[in-house]
PDB file of all heavy atoms in Angstrom:
ATOM      1  N   ARG I 225     -52.665  32.332  31.079  1.00 96.00           N
ATOM      2  CA  ARG I 225     -53.730  33.106  31.719  1.00 96.00           C
ATOM      3  C   ARG I 225     -54.417  32.318  32.824  1.00 96.00           C
ATOM      4  O   ARG I 225     -54.872  32.886  33.810  1.00 96.00           O
ATOM      5  CB  ARG I 225     -54.766  33.520  30.669  1.00 96.00           C
ATOM      6  CG  ARG I 225     -55.826  34.471  31.220  1.00 96.00           C
ATOM      7  CD  ARG I 225     -56.740  34.959  30.125  1.00 96.00           C
ATOM      8  NE  ARG I 225     -57.641  36.003  30.606  1.00 96.00           N
ATOM      9  CZ  ARG I 225     -58.585  36.553  29.858  1.00 96.00           C
ATOM     10  NH1 ARG I 225     -58.750  36.152  28.603  1.00 96.00           N
ATOM     11  NH2 ARG I 225     -59.377  37.495  30.366  1.00 96.00           N
ATOM     12  N   ALA I 226     -54.496  31.004  32.649  1.00 95.00           N
ATOM     13  CA  ALA I 226     -55.159  30.166  33.651  1.00 95.00           C
ATOM     14  C   ALA I 226     -54.440  28.830  33.726  1.00 95.00           C
ATOM     15  O   ALA I 226     -54.029  28.273  32.702  1.00 95.00           O
ATOM     16  CB  ALA I 226     -56.629  29.948  33.294  1.00 95.00           C
ATOM     17  N   GLN I 227     -54.282  28.331  34.950  1.00 95.00           N
ATOM     18  CA  GLN I 227     -53.689  27.022  35.164  1.00 95.00           C
ATOM     19  C   GLN I 227     -54.761  26.077  35.706  1.00 95.00           C
ATOM     20  O   GLN I 227     -55.471  26.424  36.653  1.00 95.00           O
ATOM     21  CB  GLN I 227     -52.519  27.105  36.153  1.00 95.00           C
ATOM     22  CG  GLN I 227     -51.366  27.953  35.639  1.00 95.00           C
ATOM     23  CD  GLN I 227     -50.199  27.989  36.605  1.00 95.00           C
ATOM     24  OE1 GLN I 227     -49.885  26.989  37.237  1.00 95.00           O
ATOM     25  NE2 GLN I 227     -49.558  29.149  36.735  1.00 95.00           N
ATOM     26  N   VAL I 228     -54.869  24.906  35.106  1.00 95.00           N
ATOM     27  CA  VAL I 228     -55.909  23.948  35.474  1.00 95.00           C
ATOM     28  C   VAL I 228     -55.259  22.592  35.753  1.00 95.00           C
ATOM     29  O   VAL I 228     -54.061  22.416  35.576  1.00 95.00           O
ATOM     30  CB  VAL I 228     -56.965  23.819  34.353  1.00 95.00           C
ATOM     31  CG1 VAL I 228     -57.679  25.145  34.143  1.00 95.00           C
ATOM     32  CG2 VAL I 228     -56.308  23.350  33.051  1.00 95.00           C
ATOM     33  N   ARG I 229     -56.083  21.629  36.180  1.00 90.00           N
ATOM     34  CA  ARG I 229     -55.544  20.327  36.576  1.00 90.00           C
ATOM     35  C   ARG I 229     -56.061  19.168  35.732  1.00 90.00           C
ATOM     36  O   ARG I 229     -55.694  18.027  35.988  1.00 90.00           O
ATOM     37  CB  ARG I 229     -55.856  20.063  38.050  1.00 90.00           C
ATOM     38  CG  ARG I 229     -55.166  21.027  39.001  1.00 90.00           C
ATOM     39  CD  ARG I 229     -55.380  20.597  40.429  1.00 90.00           C
ATOM     40  NE  ARG I 229     -54.668  21.460  41.367  1.00 90.00           N
ATOM     41  CZ  ARG I 229     -54.621  21.266  42.679  1.00 90.00           C
ATOM     42  NH1 ARG I 229     -55.247  20.225  43.203  1.00 90.00           N
ATOM     43  NH2 ARG I 229     -53.966  22.091  43.462  1.00 90.00           N
ATOM     44  N   SER I 230     -56.922  19.432  34.758  1.00 93.00           N
ATOM     45  CA  SER I 230     -57.479  18.328  33.974  1.00 93.00           C
ATOM     46  C   SER I 230     -57.734  18.784  32.546  1.00 93.00           C
ATOM     47  O   SER I 230     -57.871  19.981  32.268  1.00 93.00           O
ATOM     48  CB  SER I 230     -58.787  17.830  34.592  1.00 93.00           C
ATOM     49  OG  SER I 230     -59.801  18.814  34.452  1.00 93.00           O
ATOM     50  N   PHE I 231     -57.817  17.820  31.624  1.00 94.00           N
ATOM     51  CA  PHE I 231     -58.159  18.126  30.246  1.00 94.00           C
ATOM     52  C   PHE I 231     -59.564  18.696  30.155  1.00 94.00           C
ATOM     53  O   PHE I 231     -59.837  19.574  29.338  1.00 94.00           O
ATOM     54  CB  PHE I 231     -58.050  16.875  29.382  1.00 94.00           C
ATOM     55  CG  PHE I 231     -56.633  16.455  29.068  1.00 94.00           C
ATOM     56  CD1 PHE I 231     -56.346  15.154  28.728  1.00 94.00           C
ATOM     57  CD2 PHE I 231     -55.600  17.378  29.106  1.00 94.00           C
ATOM     58  CE1 PHE I 231     -55.045  14.765  28.439  1.00 94.00           C
ATOM     59  CE2 PHE I 231     -54.301  17.001  28.818  1.00 94.00           C
ATOM     60  CZ  PHE I 231     -54.020  15.689  28.478  1.00 94.00           C
ATOM     61  N   ASP I 232     -60.467  18.185  30.984  1.00 95.00           N
ATOM     62  CA  ASP I 232     -61.841  18.672  30.958  1.00 95.00           C
ATOM     63  C   ASP I 232     -61.896  20.163  31.295  1.00 95.00           C
ATOM     64  O   ASP I 232     -62.551  20.939  30.590  1.00 95.00           O
ATOM     65  CB  ASP I 232     -62.692  17.882  31.954  1.00 95.00           C
ATOM     66  CG  ASP I 232     -64.139  18.305  31.946  1.00 95.00           C
ATOM     67  OD1 ASP I 232     -64.868  17.913  31.013  1.00 95.00           O
ATOM     68  OD2 ASP I 232     -64.555  19.048  32.865  1.00 95.00           O
ATOM     69  N   ALA I 233     -61.201  20.563  32.363  1.00 95.00           N
ATOM     70  CA  ALA I 233     -61.183  21.980  32.741  1.00 95.00           C
ATOM     71  C   ALA I 233     -60.510  22.817  31.659  1.00 95.00           C
ATOM     72  O   ALA I 233     -60.958  23.933  31.352  1.00 95.00           O
ATOM     73  CB  ALA I 233     -60.448  22.150  34.069  1.00 95.00           C
ATOM     74  N   MET I 234     -59.437  22.287  31.072  1.00 96.00           N
ATOM     75  CA  MET I 234     -58.741  23.018  30.016  1.00 96.00           C
ATOM     76  C   MET I 234     -59.671  23.253  28.825  1.00 96.00           C
ATOM     77  O   MET I 234     -59.777  24.373  28.301  1.00 96.00           O
ATOM     78  CB  MET I 234     -57.503  22.238  29.587  1.00 96.00           C
ATOM     79  CG  MET I 234     -56.633  22.942  28.564  1.00 96.00           C
ATOM     80  SD  MET I 234     -55.167  21.956  28.133  1.00 96.00           S
ATOM     81  CE  MET I 234     -54.212  22.103  29.650  1.00 96.00           C
ATOM     82  N   ALA I 235     -60.375  22.210  28.394  1.00 97.00           N
ATOM     83  CA  ALA I 235     -61.259  22.330  27.236  1.00 97.00           C
ATOM     84  C   ALA I 235     -62.392  23.316  27.502  1.00 97.00           C
ATOM     85  O   ALA I 235     -62.771  24.108  26.625  1.00 97.00           O
ATOM     86  CB  ALA I 235     -61.832  20.956  26.880  1.00 97.00           C
ATOM     87  N   ARG I 236     -62.932  23.303  28.712  1.00 96.00           N
ATOM     88  CA  ARG I 236     -64.037  24.217  29.029  1.00 96.00           C
ATOM     89  C   ARG I 236     -63.550  25.665  29.097  1.00 96.00           C
ATOM     90  O   ARG I 236     -64.272  26.582  28.700  1.00 96.00           O
ATOM     91  CB  ARG I 236     -64.700  23.795  30.342  1.00 96.00           C
ATOM     92  CG  ARG I 236     -65.433  22.461  30.213  1.00 96.00           C
ATOM     93  CD  ARG I 236     -66.122  22.016  31.474  1.00 96.00           C
ATOM     94  NE  ARG I 236     -66.694  20.691  31.296  1.00 96.00           N
ATOM     95  CZ  ARG I 236     -67.844  20.447  30.682  1.00 96.00           C
ATOM     96  NH1 ARG I 236     -68.569  21.473  30.219  1.00 96.00           N
ATOM     97  NH2 ARG I 236     -68.291  19.218  30.550  1.00 96.00           N
ATOM     98  N   MET I 237     -62.341  25.886  29.576  1.00 97.00           N
ATOM     99  CA  MET I 237     -61.762  27.235  29.580  1.00 97.00           C
ATOM    100  C   MET I 237     -61.571  27.735  28.151  1.00 97.00           C
ATOM    101  O   MET I 237     -61.862  28.896  27.831  1.00 97.00           O
ATOM    102  CB  MET I 237     -60.428  27.227  30.315  1.00 97.00           C
ATOM    103  CG  MET I 237     -60.543  27.040  31.811  1.00 97.00           C
ATOM    104  SD  MET I 237     -61.083  28.558  32.631  1.00 97.00           S
ATOM    105  CE  MET I 237     -60.481  28.233  34.290  1.00 97.00           C
ATOM    106  N   VAL I 238     -61.059  26.867  27.290  1.00 97.00           N
ATOM    107  CA  VAL I 238     -60.853  27.253  25.890  1.00 97.00           C
ATOM    108  C   VAL I 238     -62.197  27.549  25.232  1.00 97.00           C
ATOM    109  O   VAL I 238     -62.357  28.545  24.512  1.00 97.00           O
ATOM    110  CB  VAL I 238     -60.104  26.139  25.130  1.00 97.00           C
ATOM    111  CG1 VAL I 238     -60.067  26.445  23.629  1.00 97.00           C
ATOM    112  CG2 VAL I 238     -58.682  25.995  25.670  1.00 97.00           C
ATOM    113  N   SER I 239     -63.186  26.710  25.479  1.00 97.00           N
ATOM    114  CA  SER I 239     -64.513  26.909  24.901  1.00 97.00           C
ATOM    115  C   SER I 239     -65.120  28.240  25.341  1.00 97.00           C
ATOM    116  O   SER I 239     -65.827  28.898  24.577  1.00 97.00           O
ATOM    117  CB  SER I 239     -65.427  25.760  25.315  1.00 97.00           C
ATOM    118  OG  SER I 239     -66.736  25.936  24.820  1.00 97.00           O
TER     119      SER I 239
END
Side-chain angles (χ1 to χ4, degrees):
R225 187 174 188 183
Q227 296 182 38
V228 297
R229 295 187 177 184
S230 69
F231 285 157
D232 182 77
M234 184 179 289
R236 292 181 185 280
M237 289 284 202
V238 172
S239 178

